[in-house]
């Protein structure tokens, strides 16, 4: 059926060989690892750890392990695809080459929402920390410009100005070239990882093992519910694959970036959550949106808590950078395949970036960040990502069967068991999300089906002419 027509993998790889796509190959393995860390360490560790602790208690460390296992199995599948098909578009492109056009369209449609709303949600969190930081210097914005309408109970707010400005500033940076973006990201990642390590070094001396008892106050159900929530903390490593056409040696470097960044962040998350719940009794995190800095305040180390707030701002900045970057490359790939208007895949002659796409999504999601209260976005973003991870794991099995001789610089170990474990973990976490999240996800996918049959299907480059 034409709905499941696939792209020829050999032609797909050849089409981008030698920089045929117009994007500059400037990124190396260190850039990719730091890009992954930049996308992962942000809201999850600085904000969601508090909510997770209330759900799982000190067993939050196990919740991070469960979420990391789901991501880890999927990351191995991503790494094989990235080494075999080093083309922009992430799981959208991989699905197009294996599962068919309709599946690729729907997951691309899903990624458009996931990356965009993730960038918007993190921008709102960035705004809160930024306002807290400047408030310490006696600078306060007019209340009307501090949050989206209805976001603050009892306050009249109209527009989140800091969230709007940071999104536009990042859009401007991305539009003029990936090399400058990578250098800034690398610097900020180095600083925020240093701050996380500072928390570990200072905080470990204030841990009271008695705070870890009972270790699992809400049982395994609490651990799994928290895992479904803190899964948000790992989102981002898949955005590394969106850089495929801008990597010097993608077949070797992409797997390093994917697996390396996920491994580093998992270790840091487990250590930080253990120290945090060891310093502060977990019920104390109720209503707290800065749990990591609270732990140091609880320990009487306020000077370090200030550095943590700075690390949170830098951490969220890099997440916005990588998410906005990943979204622009997915849309670029879909447009190049004819599924979206061709102007969205036009490369700027000077900057070698999808200029129009970058600015279009930047403006749209700047307005989302400024005008929409995004208090339920973590779960909506999670379900989209888990769906993508499930598909990539299934696609690896299909690729092994249909293209057994395709050159792979990295092979997912333990096939078919590892991909099936990835599917099992991801589906299990999806089932732990709220029903309203499933409803919202279903509505977005329904809109995607309408757009596909009304526009994309007939304009696809694979459609018979």
């Amino acid at each position: 059926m034409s709905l499941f027509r696939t792209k020829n993998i050999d032609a797909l790889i050849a089409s981008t060989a030698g920089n045929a796509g117009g994007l500059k190959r400037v990124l190396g393995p260190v850039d990719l690892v730091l890009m992954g860390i930049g996308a992962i360490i942000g809201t999850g560790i600085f904000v969601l750890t508090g909510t997770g602790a209330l759900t799982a208690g000190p067993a939050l460390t196990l919740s991070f392990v469960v979420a990391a296992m789901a991501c880890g199995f999927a990351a191995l599948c991503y790494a094989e695809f990235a080494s075999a098909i080093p083309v922009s578009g992430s799981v959208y492109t991989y699905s197009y080459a294996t599962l068919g056009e309709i599946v690729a369209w729907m997951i691309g449609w899903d990624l458009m929402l996931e990356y965009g709303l993730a960038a918007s949600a993190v921008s709102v969190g960035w705004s809160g920390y930024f306002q807290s930081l400047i408030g310490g210097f006696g600078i306060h914005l007019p209340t009307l410009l501090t949050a989206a309408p209805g976001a603050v109970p009892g306050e009249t707010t109209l527009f989140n100005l800091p969230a709007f400005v940071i999104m536009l500033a990042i859009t401007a940076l991305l539009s003029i070239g990936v090399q400058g973006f990578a250098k800034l990201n690398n610097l900020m990642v180095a600083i925020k990882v240093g701050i996380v390590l500072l928390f570990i070094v200072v905080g470990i001396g204030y841990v009271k093992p008695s705070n870890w008892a009972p270790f699992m106050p809400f049982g395994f159900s609490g651990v799994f519910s928290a895992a479904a929530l803190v899964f948000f903390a790992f989102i981002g490593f898949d955005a590394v694959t969106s850089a495929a056409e801008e990597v010097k040696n993608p077949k070797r470097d992409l797997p390093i970036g994917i697996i390396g960044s996920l491994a580093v962040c998992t270790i840091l998350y487990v250590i930080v959550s253990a120290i945090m719940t060891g310093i502060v009794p977990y019920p104390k995190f109720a209503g707290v949106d800065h749990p990591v800095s609270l732990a140091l305040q609880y320990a009487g180390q306020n000077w370090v808590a200030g550095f943590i707030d700075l690390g949170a701002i830098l951490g969220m900045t890099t997440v916005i950078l990588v998410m906005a970057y990943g979204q622009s490359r997915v849309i670029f790939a879909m447009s190049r395949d004819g599924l979206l208007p061709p102007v969205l895949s036009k490369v700027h002659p000077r900057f070698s970036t999808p200029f129009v796409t970058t600015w279009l999504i930047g403006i749209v999601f700047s307005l989302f960040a400024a005008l929409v209260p995004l208090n339920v976005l973590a779960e909506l973003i999670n379900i989209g990502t888990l769906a993508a991870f499930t598909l990539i794991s299934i696609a690896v099995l299909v690729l092994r069967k249909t293209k057994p001789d395709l050159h792979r610089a990295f092979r997912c170990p333990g096939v078919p068991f590892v991909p099936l474990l990835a599917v099992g973990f991801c589906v299990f976490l999806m089932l732990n999300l709220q029903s309203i999240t499933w409803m919202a996800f279903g509505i977005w996918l329904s809109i995607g089906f309408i757009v596909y049959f009304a526009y994309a299907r007939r304009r696809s480059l694979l459609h018979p002419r």
Side-chain angles (χ1 to χ4, degrees):
M1 290 180 63
S2 61
L3 291 179
F4 295 95
R5 54 199 177 197
T6 59
K7 298 189 72 172
N8 182 281
I9 293 178
D10 297 327
L12 188 63
I13 297 172
S15 68
T16 59
N19 197 31
L23 302 175
K24 291 183 178 180
R25 294 192 180 275
V26 296
L27 302 176
V30 174
D31 295 316
L32 294 175
V33 171
L34 293 177
M35 182 184 293
I37 295 173
I40 298 170
I41 296 181
T43 304
I45 194 169
F46 291 114
V47 179
L48 287 182
T49 44
T51 306
L54 291 172
T55 306
L60 175 63
T61 51
L62 295 182
S63 300
F64 274 116
V65 171
V66 172
M69 290 177 69
C71 292
F73 291 133
L76 294 172
C77 300
Y78 266 102
E80 174 164 334
F81 264 108
S83 70
I85 310 175
V87 181
S88 285
S90 187
V91 66
Y92 157 75
T93 298
Y94 307 150
S95 298
Y96 211 158
T98 53
L99 301 178
E101 184 175 276
I102 183 64
V103 178
W105 164 265
M106 294 310 299
I107 203 62
W109 185 255
D110 170 35
L111 289 176
M112 287 168 58
L113 181 72
E114 174 202 331
Y115 286 154
L117 291 186
S120 298
V122 177
S123 295
V124 174
W126 185 97
S127 173
Y129 270 93
F130 176 76
Q131 291 180 60
S132 175
L133 182 65
I134 64 175
F137 296 97
I139 303 172
H140 301 280
L141 296 175
T143 303
L144 292 176
L145 301 179
T146 58
V152 182
E155 297 281 356
T156 301
T157 54
L158 296 177
F159 194 84
N160 194 326
L161 182 61
F164 181 78
V165 170
I166 188 60
M167 276 292 294
L168 285 186
I170 286 175
T171 298
L173 177 64
L174 290 175
S175 70
I176 61 175
V178 67
Q179 194 165 18
F181 143 65
K183 290 179 179 178
L184 179 61
N185 178 73
N186 293 353
L187 175 62
M188 289 192 292
V189 168
I191 294 172
K192 74 176 179 181
V193 169
I195 291 173
V196 172
L197 293 176
L198 177 64
F199 168 81
I200 293 172
V201 171
V202 174
I204 195 168
Y206 294 91
V207 169
K208 295 180 180 179
S210 59
N211 288 331
W212 291 332
F215 180 70
M216 201 182 296
F218 306 105
F220 281 105
S221 62
V223 171
F224 295 140
S225 296
L229 175 67
V230 300
F231 178 84
F232 180 86
F234 290 98
I235 292 175
F237 75 84
D238 57 316
V240 171
T241 61
S242 299
E245 291 176 40
E246 291 156 283
V247 178
K248 297 174 184 176
N249 188 352
K251 287 181 176 289
R252 182 199 69 183
D253 296 346
L254 284 170
I256 293 174
I258 295 167
I259 298 171
S261 60
L262 184 60
V264 170
C265 293
T266 299
I267 293 170
L268 290 177
Y269 280 176
V270 171
I271 294 174
V272 167
S273 59
I275 292 175
M276 196 182 76
T277 55
I279 296 174
V280 182
Y282 73 88
K284 299 286 187 181
F285 290 112
V288 174
D289 60 2
H290 54 287
V292 179
S293 59
L294 173 70
L296 291 172
Q297 292 168 4
Y298 204 82
Q301 297 294 320
N302 290 320
W303 69 277
V304 184
F307 280 106
I308 295 298
D309 288 340
L310 176 61
I313 291 174
L314 292 177
M316 293 181 188
T317 301
T318 59
V319 174
I320 302 167
L321 268 168
V322 180
M323 289 300 180
Y325 170 83
Q327 187 191 38
S328 68
R329 271 41 179 186
V330 169
I331 294 175
F332 171 82
M334 296 176 73
S335 170
R336 189 169 59 185
D337 292 336
L339 301 180
L340 291 173
V343 68
L344 298 178
S345 55
K346 186 176 180 180
V347 175
H348 193 281
R350 177 183 173 189
F351 302 127
S352 298
T353 62
F355 197 81
V356 174
T357 296
T358 302
W359 274 106
L360 177 64
I361 63 174
I363 292 171
V364 169
F365 286 99
S366 293
L367 292 172
F368 264 83
L371 297 172
V372 181
L374 301 176
N375 55 344
V376 296
L377 276 184
E379 286 206 358
L380 184 57
I381 296 165
N382 282 358
I383 195 170
T385 305
L386 287 164
F389 287 4
T390 300
L391 276 180
I392 197 69
S393 303
I394 295 172
V396 160
L397 299 176
V398 176
L399 186 69
R400 286 288 184 94
K401 186 174 181 63
T402 58
K403 281 283 187 177
D405 299 326
L406 181 66
H407 174 68
R408 300 161 171 85
F410 177 89
R411 297 178 69 89
C412 175
V415 173
F417 301 107
V418 167
L420 291 176
L421 282 170
V423 172
F425 269 95
C426 291
V427 171
F428 177 75
L429 290 178
M430 291 171 75
L431 293 175
N432 277 274
L433 297 172
Q434 298 182 50
S435 57
I436 190 171
T437 304
W438 280 91
M439 291 174 58
F441 186 58
I443 291 171
W444 177 251
L445 293 185
S446 298
I447 296 172
F449 272 110
I450 295 172
V451 175
Y452 176 75
F453 287 104
Y455 176 89
R457 183 167 179 262
R458 292 193 301 272
R459 289 170 174 80
S460 167
L461 295 184
L462 298 186
H463 191 71
R465 297 296 191 269

